[in-house]
Amino acid sequence: MKKFFLIVLFLIGGLYGLQAQKSVPDSTFEKHYLITADVAGGVNVIFIYPLGTVMAGIGMQYNYNEHAGVATGIKYESIIGLGDGDEVLHCLYIPVEMEYHIRHFYFRGGLNVGVQLFHEEKPFLYLAATLGLGGRIPLTMQDGLNLGVHFTVGSDFDKVGPMMPRGSAVLKISYEHKF
């Protein structure tokens, strides 16, 4: 009963917050661009084998209204622990994602299209769906820090078709500058 009461109280508070957000429009909003730089680390699973993953990237985001934006960039991923543990898989991606944000929180989803580097015998194309949830910490009027959890599920493709599926879950830290 206590859990049910807390859940109902949380939902009422959330709905009230959304209604309050809509009733007081931000008349100072202007369309703007953000330049971002991010790093991430976490777990990557190829088929059923858990491996470590490290990501880094740069990008740009265009916020076209008060609560929505579109983002793209270039990301590098290194998957560590293949085979004997000394083999590393290197990938380069171009993500295209949509973002919904309110105040200091964001929800993001989209697609990653990429290639594997330095492996001639491996599949040459990677396609994945992404989903992320996190928060923004404003540092100044122009700068901010993001902290979020991002999930990716995709597959490598060779000339014949899709190969083994893989997925990842990473903790992502990002710096953004508004201009």
Side-chain angles (χ1 to χ4, degrees), residues 2-66:
K2 185 177 177 181
K3 286 182 183 179
F4 178 75
F5 179 72
L6 289 174
I7 291 171
V8 169
L9 188 62
F10 178 74
L11 287 174
I12 290 171
L15 291 174
Y16 176 74
L18 285 175
Q19 203 288 337
Q21 178 85 17
K22 287 183 179 181
S23 66
V24 182
D26 184 8
S27 61
T28 63
F29 176 79
E30 294 179 11
K31 297 178 182 180
H32 59 274
Y33 291 93
L34 299 170
I35 293 177
T36 61
D38 54 74
V39 294
V43 177
N44 198 312
V45 178
I46 297 178
F47 193 55
I48 58 172
Y49 303 105
L51 308 165
T53 189
V54 177
M55 298 174 144
I58 57 171
M60 185 179 80
Q61 179 173 329
Y62 175 63
N63 290 331
Y64 53 85
N65 75 24
E66 185 179 0

Side-chain angles (χ1 to χ4, degrees), residues 144-159:
L145 192 65
N146 297 344
L147 184 63
V149 178
H150 290 251
F151 303 95
T152 305
V153 176
S155 181
D156 296 313
F157 288 83
D158 65 3
K159 295 176 184 172

Side-chain angles (χ1 to χ4, degrees), residues 5-171:
F5 179 72
L6 289 174
I7 291 171
V8 169
L9 188 62
F10 178 74
L11 287 174
I12 290 171
L15 291 174
Y16 176 74
L18 285 175
Q19 203 288 337
Q21 178 85 17
K22 287 183 179 181
S23 66
V24 182
D26 184 8
S27 61
T28 63
F29 176 79
E30 294 179 11
K31 297 178 182 180
H32 59 274
Y33 291 93
L34 299 170
I35 293 177
T36 61
D38 54 74
V39 294
V43 177
N44 198 312
V45 178
I46 297 178
F47 193 55
I48 58 172
Y49 303 105
L51 308 165
T53 189
V54 177
M55 298 174 144
I58 57 171
M60 185 179 80
Q61 179 173 329
Y62 175 63
N63 290 331
Y64 53 85
N65 75 24
E66 185 179 0
H67 297 293
V70 61
T72 189
I74 190 161
K75 309 268 186 222
Y76 166 78
E77 180 181 25
S78 179
I79 302 171
I80 306 159
L82 296 174
D84 299 336
D86 57 354
E87 186 179 349
V88 178
L89 182 63
H90 304 277
C91 302
L92 199 59
Y93 306 127
I94 297 176
V96 177
E97 299 173 320
M98 295 295 293
E99 179 178 292
Y100 177 78
H101 46 264
I102 54 172
R103 291 210 173 249
H104 302 297
F105 299 98
Y106 69 87
F107 176 76
R108 174 181 274 210
L111 292 174
N112 277 352
V113 178
V115 294
Q116 293 182 9
L117 306 173
F118 315 122
H119 289 280
E120 295 83 23
E121 70 277 359
K122 298 278 184 176
F124 64 91
L125 179 67
Y126 177 70
L127 184 63
T130 65
L131 185 64
L133 179 66
R136 287 196 161 86
I137 302 166
L139 301 174
T140 67
M141 292 295 287
Q142 302 294 325
D143 300 318
L145 192 65
N146 297 344
L147 184 63
V149 178
H150 290 251
F151 303 95
T152 305
V153 176
S155 181
D156 296 313
F157 288 83
D158 65 3
K159 295 176 184 172
V160 182
M163 303 293 281
M164 280 191 222
R166 66 178 171 170
S168 68
V170 296
L171 177 64

